[in-house]
Amino acid sequence: CGHAMFKKKKSSRSRKEKNLVESSPKPSRAKEEAEKETSNSLEQSLSDSGDFGGSISVEDEEVEGLMFTGERENGRPVIKGGNIKQLVERLTYEKYNDVKYAQAFMLTFRSFTSPAELLDLLIKRYNIEPPESASKEEIEGFDGVRKVVRLRVFNILKGWLNNGYYDFKDPKLKETLLEFINKEMAVSLKNPSKTLLTVIEKKENDEKKQYEHIFTTAFPKILTLKSPVSDSFILSHHPTELARQLTLIEYKLYSAIKPSECVGQNWMSKRKEELAPNILAMIHRFNFVSTWLSSEIVRCPDLQKRTQILKHILDIAEACKQLNNFNALMEIISGLNSSSIFRLKQTWAGLPRKYVAMFEDMRAIMSRDKSYKNFREYLHNVNPPCIPYLGMYLTDLTFIEEGNKDNLPNGYINVTKRRQLAQIISEIQTYQNTPYCLEELPDLRDALFNVEALPEQQCYQLSLKREGRDGTVDDQTPDLPFGEIEKKSSYLFDKPDTEDSIIYDNRDGADKVTTAMVTAASEVKLVERLTFHEYSDPVFTSAFLMAYQSFTKASKILELLDNRFQMPRPANPSKQQMAKFQSTRMIPIHLRIVNFLRTWVNAYPRDFIEDTALQQQLQDLIQSWAESNVLLKQAADGLRKVLDKKLMMPLPTPECRYIGFLRDSEDSSSSEDTPKTLFDFDDDLIAQQFSLIEQNFFSSIGARECLCSAWDKDTMDSEAPNFLAMRINSDTITRWVCSEVLRQPDLEARYRCISILICVAEKLVEMHNFQTAMSLTAGFIQLKEKLPSLWNWIPTTVQAKYDVLNRYYNDPKLIRELELSITEEPVIPFIEPYIQQLAAILQLIPPKTGNLINFERIRKFYAVFQALEIFRATPYSFDYHEGCGGYLYNAEVWPQERIDKTAEDIPPVDAPVVRPEFEDIRNPEEAFEEISDDESEGLNSPRRQAEQEATDNLRDHLISVMSEEDQVFQEFLNEAKSNVANDLLQELRSFSICIQDELSVIQTQFGVEQTDRRQQQTITPSSQRILQRIFPGCSISIWTELDSEGVVYGWEDQVNVFRVTKSDQQYLVCVTPQLEKSDASNALRLFKFFLEASEAECATAVISSSCSAAATSVLRDNNVLLFNFNG
């Protein structure tokens, strides 16, 4: 790879060398010109432009190992061909920089050499040395030439790294390059070598990070249809929005195409999946979309609706045209030109003329005539962003590849062919650099990836069925996407839906097969819908599991599931039909069956724990299913482990800890310094302890308690024990209120007591514990009836609070409105209206509709439980207070008879002249003292006279100071002003700090979107961004389990944690805005619970915006990783 100016032959010199020698008669002049030439070349090479030396002589066209076309481009000869060494030399030519040649070389070199050979030649070129026979003058000028060549090599390597770094994923190639940079280039070109290392580091980091393009303009508004058609995917979305999402999908595929995929017709080679994966992805996407659109039309049996779908597709095509997505436009034209669609004359006849003309215009633009002449002209007049029709470029590349040989007759590499290929590749790249400013809709995008595209043969069969050759319509034969299905007499689930077997709620015109709710059905049809292949309805599943015992047995359900599993297969399927049957029918149904059983075991383990025969039946089924379908082995193993785990767990034994339950127990004794009166505790603390007590009952309510057959005490005791416990606790609290007030020794203690309790009830409403608040209010109402005169002594502000509570109690709808307005906060609802609602359903809706199971009734029962379940998602995080909690558990609660008798014995009292102030309730020593006529002489008592005399003396002294001592008074005034200013400044600083803290929390929480309580088990986009930021390249899921032993919160509840998998490492992760010591303890219990359930070893991590020192210490001591939101 030596320099051309030093190439010699043994017999004679080349004309170029001869002219070079003869042109330098004086060494000193030659040296001066060489230095000047070197200086110029360095400056121009550093800027990567310009020529080295002056004009180009004709000798440039006479180089051994190169051939020229005889043409010139920008005054430079155009290379026709050459050997690899000369081509690399010309790539780093010291006289001038041929940008077009360099671009063509780097885009196509993989078609005639390998990246390893090219790097080797560039390294040799970098280390160019003058030949031993060079003259002194030539050697003196050689240093400048070598510097230029090295800079050319540097620029080529830099461009290669920037535009083709995927070549250096080969470890050996990367190692060779790094060794060259560090050991050779770093010595002679220090700064350029650092530049290359920086580029490599940046590319490595880019591989690990995912960047989003930031647009300077806002996304266009998301478009929706005013009247979407629910039973048609394509008619349920706006055509422009569908075109936008198609465009985003295809731009991502198009922009990923690499130059190496475009040479050598790699997309048609035997190794095409390896050599041209992105072109293949575009081709597959093209065929998929075309077939999907054809399928959408022929699947529709109704002629008018079919024409409507066709019209909608043409609107999508027009939107794609407006978006310059010509690849999608051609996909649509191809689908509509298919034999399945083009023959549907009646469907096309229903189109308005405008749409027919629109389609003809699109076909004219995208016509293949004259090598896409019309499209090429149209394309060159549009501005990016744009997705051109890739098929046109693949045709051009194929034409060049097949019409030109790789090598010239003399064996030289055909550079002309590579220039032509590079021109096409450059045009492809032109449209890869401008992304679309469109908002991605993940749900719609995913749906577009998962739409069903029927095989072409089935499309044509359906087309004949919709419009026969004689124009007739075959509406008798059902659509058979898999061909004929084998007959199996024992199979129960191949019967069509009839009114005698299933009834749908189709009031909104919903499609019975997919979206309508089942209102009544037979057992077989209910199980069929539970395992429906197209979608899973979690609410339907949960409602069924809650109520199945009211109409069948568990063993019968397992028998039906086994029958459903043993479904008949296609009789004589093709490979594609069988694959589709397995992927769209068999596997989805099998997975639905296994997932249903998993849900059953998790939600109602008692069904299996108490029935050993049922356990064995389920174990046998799991074993048999896993053997018949190997794809189910993992799911079946998971189900078996869940069952084994649940069978090992002891059944929960909830404790009913009512107010005062320790009163008569042996543990009721406490230390002498423990407070035992209501006045010793803060309102907030009492409300918190009440909420913890009530939460114990509320969180224990089971779904099947909502099916209680009668809401009397005896029936509830066996069928709805936790509802009964809440009722009993409510009655206990009501009696405790009366007992606590009536046991007070005097009037003042009574009105103080009831005022405090009203304040506690208000606090409970603020904490959203409406159940306890209404229980207290019931006691207030009873006391007002029994001791009406007592209420005259209650402060006005407390009376106003009572009036609000009374309104809530008498109109539960107001409480319901409050409950529904609360999100992401703990709530204990007022339970009595829910019990009344369940009783009304029981009484008004019959369990059967004819001979069918009335599932609407079951849905309504489950809807009540679901409403309660939503409130249980966020429990209270208060700590149990031994003093206050102990006081409540040891409280004396009178029976109703004693309450009535004691109230009768208390005489009425006269109303005060002035009601007590609210501030006096907690400080009775400063309370208002009523002055009656017989006590008026107290004003003249010696104590009051002494106090008045002292007050008068102090006032006289201050007046004398202000009138006589001006300076002292001024100093006193200045000091007072200073004190006031300091106090105000201190308050302002404290307020500023509080505001900053709140803003910090708000900004932190902004990264974690709060989801609706009904969607607790979904990953929000903000949580996903935080987790991807900290664990780049990871996969994220939510792991949810039933904590039946109360390991985490102390009661049975659904708990979940993020499960993050990165490489071979798994992490259990909690994300929370703030982390105190109690939160850290909760996290440790959560991790302990899931680690015991995990099969693999998992690390644990907590992500929080702020963390207390105590929480940090707890987490570190337990080897928990701790990150902030920035990672």
Side-chain angles (χ1 to χ4, degrees), residues 233 237 288 292 441-452:
F233 170 79
H237 296 90
F288 177 78
W292 162 58
L441 305 179
D443 291 342
L444 183 53
R445 175 204 62 202
D446 294 344
L448 287 170
F449 275 116
N450 296 308
V451 289
E452 184 179 8

Side-chain angles (χ1 to χ4, degrees), residues 107-156:
L107 286 175
T108 62
F109 75 85
R110 298 167 189 84
S111 66
F112 55 82
T113 187
S114 66
E117 183 182 13
L118 176 59
L119 180 59
D120 181 62
L121 291 172
L122 287 172
I123 292 173
K124 290 179 179 178
R125 179 69 171 153
Y126 184 89
N127 294 317
I128 182 176
E129 294 291 342
E132 297 178 358
S133 59
S135 65
K136 182 179 179 181
E137 292 82 359
E138 291 171 341
I139 294 174
E140 288 176 350
F142 183 78
D143 286 342
V145 172
R146 178 161 47 194
K147 288 180 181 179
V148 175
V149 170
R150 288 181 170 178
L151 287 171
R152 299 277 196 233
V153 172
F154 157 72
N155 284 325
I156 292 297

Side-chain angles (χ1 to χ4, degrees), residues 53-295:
S55 62
I56 303 167
S57 65
V58 72
E59 287 80 0
D60 290 323
E61 299 186 20
E62 299 180 6
V63 178
E64 184 179 352
L66 285 178
M67 285 183 65
F68 297 91
T69 63
E71 299 173 352
R72 287 184 176 269
E73 204 172 66
N74 296 328
R76 299 165 183 166
V78 178
I79 299 173
K80 182 178 181 179
N83 61 44
I84 183 61
K85 291 185 179 181
Q86 286 298 328
L87 292 180
V88 172
E89 180 178 335
R90 189 60 59 147
L91 186 65
T92 57
Y93 199 36
E94 74 280 355
K95 287 192 174 183
Y96 56 81
N97 183 20
D98 191 337
V99 177
K100 287 191 174 181
Y101 168 71
Q103 182 184 26
F105 184 98
M106 294 307 296
L107 286 175
T108 62
F109 75 85
R110 298 167 189 84
S111 66
F112 55 82
T113 187
S114 66
E117 183 182 13
L118 176 59
L119 180 59
D120 181 62
L121 291 172
L122 287 172
I123 292 173
K124 290 179 179 178
R125 179 69 171 153
Y126 184 89
N127 294 317
I128 182 176
E129 294 291 342
E132 297 178 358
S133 59
S135 65
K136 182 179 179 181
E137 292 82 359
E138 291 171 341
I139 294 174
E140 288 176 350
F142 183 78
D143 286 342
V145 172
R146 178 161 47 194
K147 288 180 181 179
V148 175
V149 170
R150 288 181 170 178
L151 287 171
R152 299 277 196 233
V153 172
F154 157 72
N155 284 325
I156 292 297
L157 288 175
K158 182 181 176 184
W160 190 2
L161 288 170
N162 276 319
N163 301 315
Y165 189 74
Y166 49 86
D167 286 332
F168 294 93
K169 289 183 179 179
D170 180 357
K172 291 184 178 179
L173 190 67
K174 183 179 176 182
E175 182 181 355
T176 302
L177 176 62
L178 289 174
E179 185 176 359
F180 164 67
I181 293 172
N182 291 321
K183 293 184 178 180
E184 298 182 43
M185 184 179 282
V187 176
S188 52
L189 293 178
K190 186 176 181 181
N191 289 333
S193 67
K194 290 181 179 179
T195 300
L196 292 184
L197 291 174
T198 301
V199 173
I200 292 172
E201 183 180 1
K202 182 178 181 297
K203 288 294 181 179
E204 288 290 333
N205 291 333
D206 289 349
E207 292 281 328
K208 301 174 183 177
K209 297 179 181 177
Q210 294 182 350
Y211 293 97
E212 292 184 3
H213 190 89
I214 299 176
F215 297 96
T216 56
T217 58
F219 292 133
K221 181 181 177 181
I222 296 173
L223 300 176
T224 57
L225 294 175
K226 293 182 180 179
S227 302
V229 180
S230 59
D231 61 344
S232 171
F233 170 79
I234 202 164
L235 293 180
S236 62
H237 296 90
H238 197 284
T240 301
E241 200 57 60
L242 283 170
R244 289 172 179 173
Q245 299 308 309
L246 285 171
T247 298
L248 289 173
I249 291 171
E250 296 193 2
Y251 178 78
K252 188 174 183 179
L253 296 174
Y254 179 80
S255 61
I257 295 174
K258 299 179 177 64
S260 61
E261 301 181 44
C262 301
V263 297
Q265 294 180 279
N266 282 335
W267 65 92
M268 291 192 291
S269 69
K270 293 182 179 179
R271 298 168 54 209
K272 55 189 175 184
E273 288 82 5
E274 174 189 350
L275 299 176
N278 298 298
I279 290 181
L280 279 185
M282 281 289 285
I283 294 172
H284 292 158
R285 183 67 188 172
F286 184 98
N287 296 332
F288 177 78
V289 172
S290 297
T291 310
W292 162 58
L293 294 173
S294 301
S295 305

Side-chain angles (χ1 to χ4, degrees), residues 785-803:
E785 293 174 355
K786 297 181 183 300
L787 302 174
S789 62
L790 174 63
W791 291 79
N792 296 323
W793 288 79
I794 293 176
T796 305
T797 53
V798 177
Q799 178 68 43
K801 295 177 182 181
Y802 166 75
D803 292 340

Side-chain angles (χ1 to χ4, degrees), residues 503-566:
I503 301 174
Y504 296 94
D505 179 6
N506 203 27
R507 287 172 292 187
D508 298 328
D511 179 11
K512 292 180 181 180
V513 178
T514 56
T515 57
M517 290 194 302
V518 176
T519 59
S522 64
E523 285 183 43
V524 171
K525 285 298 178 182
L526 286 177
V527 172
E528 184 177 278
R529 301 306 295 180
L530 283 171
T531 57
F532 191 50
H533 64 278
E534 287 193 11
Y535 67 90
S536 174
D537 186 345
V539 173
F540 184 82
T541 301
S542 299
F544 179 91
L545 287 172
M546 178 185 77
Y548 80 85
Q549 291 178 339
S550 64
F551 56 81
T552 190
K553 295 181 179 180
S555 59
K556 179 67 178 298
I557 298 298
L558 291 182
E559 290 172 4
L560 289 173
L561 289 173
D562 186 43
N563 186 272
R564 177 71 161 151
F565 190 92
Q566 310 299 338

